[in-house]
Amino acid sequence: MNVHSAAIVGASGYTGLELTRLVARHPALRLEALYSDRWSEELAGARLPLPGPAAALRYRPLAEADRAEAEIVFLATPAEASAELAPKLLARGARVVDLSGAFRLEYAADYPAWYGFAHPAPALLAEARYGLPELAREKLAGARLVTNPGCYATAIALALAPLVRAGLGLQGGIAVTGMSGVSGAGRKASEDYSFVEVADDLRAYRIGRHQHVPEMEQTVARYAGACPPISFTPVLTPIRRGILATITIRTGPSAPASDLAEAMRAAYRDEPFVRVLAPDKVMVKDVVHTNRCHLGVAVDTRAGAVVAVSAIDNLVKGAAGQAVQAMNAAMGWPETAGLDLVGG
Amino acid sequence: MNVHSAAIVGASGYTGLELTRLVARHPALRLEALYSDRWSEELAGARLPLPGPAAALRYRPLAEADRAEAEIVFLATPAEASAELAPKLLARGARVVDLSGAFRLEYAADYPAWYGFAHPAPALLAEARYGLPELAREKLAGARLVTNPGCYATAIALALAPLVRAGLGLQGGIAVTGMSGVSGAGRKASEDYSFVEVADDLRAYRIGRHQHVPEMEQTVARYAGACPPISFTPVLTPIRRGILATITIRTGPSAPASDLAEAMRAAYRDEPFVRVLAPDKVMVKDVVHTNRCHLGVAVDTRAGAVVAVSAIDNLVKGAAGQAVQAMNAAMGWPETAGLDLVGG
Amino acid sequence: MNVHSAAIVGASGYTGLELTRLVARHPALRLEALYSDRWSEELAGARLPLPGPAAALRYRPLAEADRAEAEIVFLATPAEASAELAPKLLARGARVVDLSGAFRLEYAADYPAWYGFAHPAPALLAEARYGLPELAREKLAGARLVTNPGCYATAIALALAPLVRAGLGLQGGIAVTGMSGVSGAGRKASEDYSFVEVADDLRAYRIGRHQHVPEMEQTVARYAGACPPISFTPVLTPIRRGILATITIRTGPSAPASDLAEAMRAAYRDEPFVRVLAPDKVMVKDVVHTNRCHLGVAVDTRAGAVVAVSAIDNLVKGAAGQAVQAMNAAMGWPETAGLDLVGG
Amino acid sequence: MNVHSAAIVGASGYTGLELTRLVARHPALRLEALYSDRWSEELAGARLPLPGPAAALRYRPLAEADRAEAEIVFLATPAEASAELAPKLLARGARVVDLSGAFRLEYAADYPAWYGFAHPAPALLAEARYGLPELAREKLAGARLVTNPGCYATAIALALAPLVRAGLGLQGGIAVTGMSGVSGAGRKASEDYSFVEVADDLRAYRIGRHQHVPEMEQTVARYAGACPPISFTPVLTPIRRGILATITIRTGPSAPASDLAEAMRAAYRDEPFVRVLAPDKVMVKDVVHTNRCHLGVAVDTRAGAVVAVSAIDNLVKGAAGQAVQAMNAAMGWPETAGLDLVGG
């Protein structure tokens, strides 16, 4: 692994911060620029614990990001900003890993409805490689533009793909409840996300309308050949980071023929970051601060359903860690490089 | 309302404590005995804030509970203990409100599988009146034995009943995720429920096997004429009290003909404790410390599903408050008596 | 108790909400107006659980508050706003209970330094009656203008007053750490108080500069004859409501002669809202949602110090509950009227 | 750094777990044995994310720990167990790092009062080297027995030492409130530490009687030449990990002559793990999951006091991280080896 230069745009959001921690310690990356208006001119080392050279970097204004000179540029910017920036950076010869949704959907026509803007660079949608290595590894090698999966989409597609491939869910529907920590909403000065409003509370939001829905359906369909519509209900929970998704697939009166836990285990046997456990052993606390996804599956024979459970850290496997993993795959490095996290 | 004497058995559990707070302030009840081995001989007023006469009560050993002389006895005991105690108290002429599952199921044959014991008093199952006034009010008047609903069953049956009555869910399945605060597990010296293990975590448990499942199906069937099997996944969340349930009902490609929010609103128009809101306005924090249930419903046309959301305080509308409400109904008192809670 | 009309100005802040809950249920008050720009024109019953008549009130704009016609007006407004409003309302003949700091300090000259504004109505400072009934009851009868104590000042003055009266602290210093829930900071759309920034964290703020410092010193001095300077360090903790204060008073090598717990108990023997417990039994969770203050005291003979511990709910005994209690005292009603809270 | 073999005794407690994470990734250590009765025979990799070789270890029963063959043995056992085990391991030629209090106090005579047992190996107290490198580095080189500091003692001694050295506190007293996360109480199946009892609560405990008191006084005295008695009040707070200590030192009417922040900064100028910040920027969330200590100091001239604030992660700088740092110092390795933690 030769050392390559790297930059992070949008470095002061929760995803950007996590990415800074990881990139600064990556054995094959030399972090050389951080862009953030919020902390412009401040020292990075004053904001988070970093090794020497990264600690000495000063945040630069976002307006300068389109002239970033790093070989690899991570975009932790809102989708609309990424959609504008990525083409410019690619034109300069940079490799881009975009953590927003700007390049996740296959069809530009879906952007107005799900993301609220008309896509300014639709040609890039075909070029972007989806950065979920466990399902799409073979297309990542050499990728110039990696589109990093959404946090909910990661947790849910990893659980669903092997089950749908085993024939589940194609006739009935799939009902998903995705419970997320508050960092999933980003860094915000908002009363809605204040401690007093969120602590001790649970609430659903954007039922059936979350922008990760088309992404998870598209991803499962690509991997498993087809995907029925997913009815997705996100829920805000009083934890800082982490996602737990419960996925109920109707099977009807006859129990599934195959051993579903075994199918899951087989699908991920050689994956360093995925573990299949008994479903009541799948806990957010075991995956936070790691790049892991823990999965489990239960058969509810009585009710004619299969229930899968999936847990990730929304900021690591659901964002920054996965971006590093996908970049590793794109560069031909070991996927675990820079990702042996202590956890806890 | 003449004043009647009341006793609480199992007064030191979280449900028993909440019941003590409510009964001690009820305008038609005179709390005269509290039974708890844990706090035996201690003053009630040393354990929680109570008005004078109740504060002066001393907890008595559970072994004396079968000789309770109060006119109304609340049992906040485990199901097996309630199943033994209730017949003795009824035989002494007491009116019994049982907060356990001992008398909730219609068929004694279901007890070994769901509750783990053979029912010692099966004849009482037919006599017991289900204490969910919003759905079963007319059978409560004069009841000698009230069986108080389970917390999850309350939240879920209140949401489902009007929807199933409107024709939903009968052909497809119903998928429910029930997120609960930790007090739902009872007061326990258990490592599993320690702060360090539960805070910052989410985990599913007893998928498809929770004992409230047959109860919710039976309740919906009674009210709505039928109920498809419910696949139920409970989740432990880091809040002290409260339940949020997300209920996904498959409808298939054609959207429901009727206005479901209006159906819900119509069903509960005159109910003092049920409110129908926009689904993303249904929040645990607005119902804790009250006897309220907040409901909402969304139509996910794209995915062919309807999603209902329900929130209650598991210790109030899911236990002690509902017990008081049902007892009020049994005695012919206003159902809101003693339940004008401040909330917060 | 004849029924009097009441209004609340600033009804949508956390203190205003709590006050609304209490005033709406007070046996001698008829809530007739709520002022809040945030919720202007909305129904109060849509915002919180209220009895019928209060639920039907609509919030009015703050600009109309100076024409409030209620007999008793509670101001839950920022200090500067209260300082402007109170004189106008008093001039209209209203009785005013101000929950801000606008009238708490004895000397107008102290306002610029501690509150950041020059006092517009200094003459009223002498007329305002300090609403801490346990220490200042006799001056409250008939008060036209009640100035409600600060939350920290309440917790700390109640603990300190009997100890200083017993001779403690006069030669050495007093060191106080006051740990508060986040609602103490008010309702804010601020990144600093967002869930992600506050959960799992502890931080000190405004060390030695909190505006409750002169108030607590002034209060102790009034009651106990003198008060040494208090070095006060407030700490933000991840709870929604509640304060725990630890108060360390240097005594030097000789242990205090008197029994301090007994002195505390004697001071508050007949108080309905104050209880003296073993110091490690003083817990925030036992006082939240009540108007209680729990106190304890330990003698650290080895270190030559006495440590007092005090717990209140910052929104009840530290704000809205105390305002009702003080108003009860001013009106000659039982101090507990409307304050028999369930707790939990 | 040649690679040395290492074992951890008491590997399933919260400190033992954290130590396992760190030792398994240390560049100069090869983890070869983990002892825990709780998880005896289980695979370590099934309990926490570990690199390959460590993941394949199986926990062994504690009874076998006295025959551990590793070159370096970490004891994360209760003090009484450590006091029995350490001599046996030293006799076998192992180097021992003990994380309990068994060897922290200078005088065996202090053990019955503060730790509740008579010390079985008093001769070792003189040999044990105190593992707080920032204050006691020079004595650690080559140490056979390292006694790792207590979590509160670490946070407080690091803040106090430079201030006392600058002449503060010697005539008046020192008042400390130490707020800790719940993992500080260890892994326990106790109702007192259950989520429902701890969440939303704050409570003081063991006022003036915590076993870290003689340790912090002894440590400050060694470094600064003298230490006045410290009155210490620990407080349990609803966070999983972290400590914030507020330290109030009486100075009397004249403000301190020297610049105390500068004195602190000078004392720790070259320390990789200590940072001096503005006191309201010292936050638990910035140090958790790192080996850092953040310090700040404020002068409360009005009250005649100096207030220092200190934050650490009780499981890292307060336990496992510090043990690794001290072991690094004992072995002559860079102190930061294995401690470049990502944080978050």
Side-chain angles (χ1 to χ4, degrees), chain B residues 14 38 187 191 196-197, chain D residues 14 38 187 191 197 240:
Chain B
Y14 294 128
R38 180 195 313 263
R187 184 193 284 269
E191 199 183 296
V196 180
E197 297 301 314
Chain D
Y14 293 128
R38 180 195 313 262
R187 185 192 284 270
E191 200 184 297
E197 297 301 313
R240 291 172 84 210

Side-chain angles (χ1 to χ4, degrees), chain B:
Chain B
M1 298 191 284
N2 291 325
V3 172
H4 293 250
S5 60
I8 296 170
V9 186
S12 60
Y14 294 128
T15 294
L17 273 169
E18 200 72 15
L19 203 47
T20 306
R21 298 173 198 276
L22 297 178
V23 170
R25 289 173 176 85
H26 193 286
L29 296 176
R30 186 185 63 253
L31 186 57
E32 72 169 33
L34 295 165
Y35 297 89
S36 158
D37 283 346
R38 180 195 313 263
W39 294 338
S40 189
E41 301 311 319
E42 288 189 51
L43 273 175
R47 284 292 174 177
L48 69 175
L50 291 174
L57 291 174
R58 286 188 187 277
Y59 293 98
R60 303 186 196 174
L62 281 175
E64 298 177 8
D66 57 1
R67 282 157 285 154
E69 290 179 356
E71 293 164 86
I72 300 171
V73 181
F74 294 91
L75 300 181
T77 34
E80 259 191 284
S82 286
E84 298 290 347
L85 260 174
K88 297 179 190 171
L89 292 163
L90 290 167
R92 294 175 63 91
R95 202 179 288 266
V96 172
V97 182
D98 178 38
L99 286 87
S100 84
F103 301 97
R104 287 181 197 152
L105 301 187
E106 208 167 339
Y107 303 109
D110 286 337
Y111 274 86
W114 292 102
Y115 281 91
F117 65 92
H119 205 289
L124 283 177
L125 295 177
E127 183 179 347
R129 296 290 172 255
Y130 194 62
L132 188 51
E134 287 82 0
L135 300 185
R137 181 170 289 123
E138 69 289 348
K139 297 208 174 156
L140 279 165
R144 263 196 347 141
L145 172 58
V146 174
T147 177
N148 208 50
C151 52
Y152 284 125
T154 297
I156 294 160
L158 286 174
L160 267 180
L163 299 178
V164 174
R165 216 180 197 182
L168 256 65
L170 296 176
Q171 59 280 60
I174 297 177
V176 179
T177 295
M179 293 151 271
S180 174
V182 189
S183 61
R187 184 193 284 269
K188 279 185 191 165
S190 155
E191 199 183 296
D192 280 358
Y193 297 99
S194 73
F195 184 87
V196 180
E197 297 301 314
V198 171
D200 303 336
D201 193 30
L202 302 168
R203 67 176 106 136
Y205 64 99
R206 305 187 73 183
I207 301 174
R209 297 182 295 108
H210 196 285
Q211 72 274 15
H212 292 178
V213 168
E215 180 189 344
M216 55 182 94
E217 290 179 359
Q218 162 187 299
T219 304
V220 173
R222 272 190 204 157
Y223 175 83
C227 184
I230 296 171
S231 181
F232 177 52
T233 298
V235 172
L236 186 71
T237 64
I239 59 176
R240 291 172 83 209
R241 34 162 93 199
I243 282 178
L244 186 81
T246 58
I247 301 163
T248 309
I249 311 172
R250 188 167 160 71
T251 55
S254 56
S258 51
D259 178 338
L260 298 171
E262 185 44 39
M264 266 192 176
R265 239 174 247 117
Y268 299 120
R269 181 143 298 146
D270 301 321
E271 292 298 340
F273 296 120
V274 182
R275 291 185 60 202
V276 181
L277 305 170
D280 57 354
K281 296 294 183 199
V282 174
M283 303 181 186
V284 161
K285 74 176 172 222
D286 288 339
V287 298
V288 288
H289 299 288
T290 80
N291 196 48
R292 289 185 165 202
C293 176
H294 284 187
L295 298 173
V297 63
V299 180
D300 185 355
T301 313
R302 200 196 60 85
V306 161
V307 179
V309 185
S310 177
I312 61 168
D313 184 328
N314 59 305
L315 296 179
V316 188
K317 183 61 179 168
Q322 180 133 280
V324 169
Q325 184 188 355
M327 189 267 308
N328 286 340
M331 301 296 287
W333 298 333
E335 276 183 32
T336 55
L339 293 171
D340 178 24
L341 299 172
V342 166

Side-chain angles (χ1 to χ4, degrees), chain A residues 14 38-39 182-184 186-191 193-200 237-240, chain C residues 14 38-39 182-184 186-191 193-200 237-240:
Chain A
Y14 294 129
R38 179 195 313 263
W39 293 337
V182 189
S183 60
R187 183 193 284 271
K188 279 186 191 164
S190 154
E191 199 183 297
Y193 297 99
S194 73
F195 183 87
V196 179
E197 296 301 312
V198 171
D200 304 335
T237 65
I239 59 176
R240 291 172 84 210
Chain C
Y14 294 128
R38 180 194 315 262
W39 294 338
V182 189
S183 60
R187 184 192 284 269
K188 279 185 192 167
S190 155
E191 200 185 296
Y193 297 99
S194 73
F195 183 86
V196 180
E197 297 301 313
V198 171
D200 304 335
T237 65
I239 59 177
R240 291 172 83 211

Side-chain angles (χ1 to χ4, degrees), chain C residues 150-178:
Chain C
C151 53
Y152 284 124
T154 297
I156 292 160
L158 285 174
L160 266 180
L163 299 178
V164 174
R165 216 180 195 183
L168 255 65
L170 296 176
Q171 60 281 60
I174 297 177
V176 179
T177 295

Side-chain angles (χ1 to χ4, degrees), chain A residues 41-108:
Chain A
E41 301 309 320
E42 287 190 51
L43 273 174
R47 284 293 174 176
L48 69 174
L50 291 175
L57 292 174
R58 284 188 188 278
Y59 294 98
R60 303 186 195 173
L62 280 175
E64 299 176 7
D66 56 1
R67 282 157 285 155
E69 292 179 355
E71 292 164 86
I72 301 171
V73 182
F74 294 91
L75 300 180
T77 33
E80 258 191 284
S82 286
E84 298 289 348
L85 260 174
K88 297 179 190 169
L89 292 163
L90 290 168
R92 294 176 63 90
R95 205 178 287 268
V96 172
V97 182
D98 177 38
L99 286 87
S100 83
F103 301 98
R104 287 184 197 150
L105 301 187
E106 208 168 338
Y107 303 109

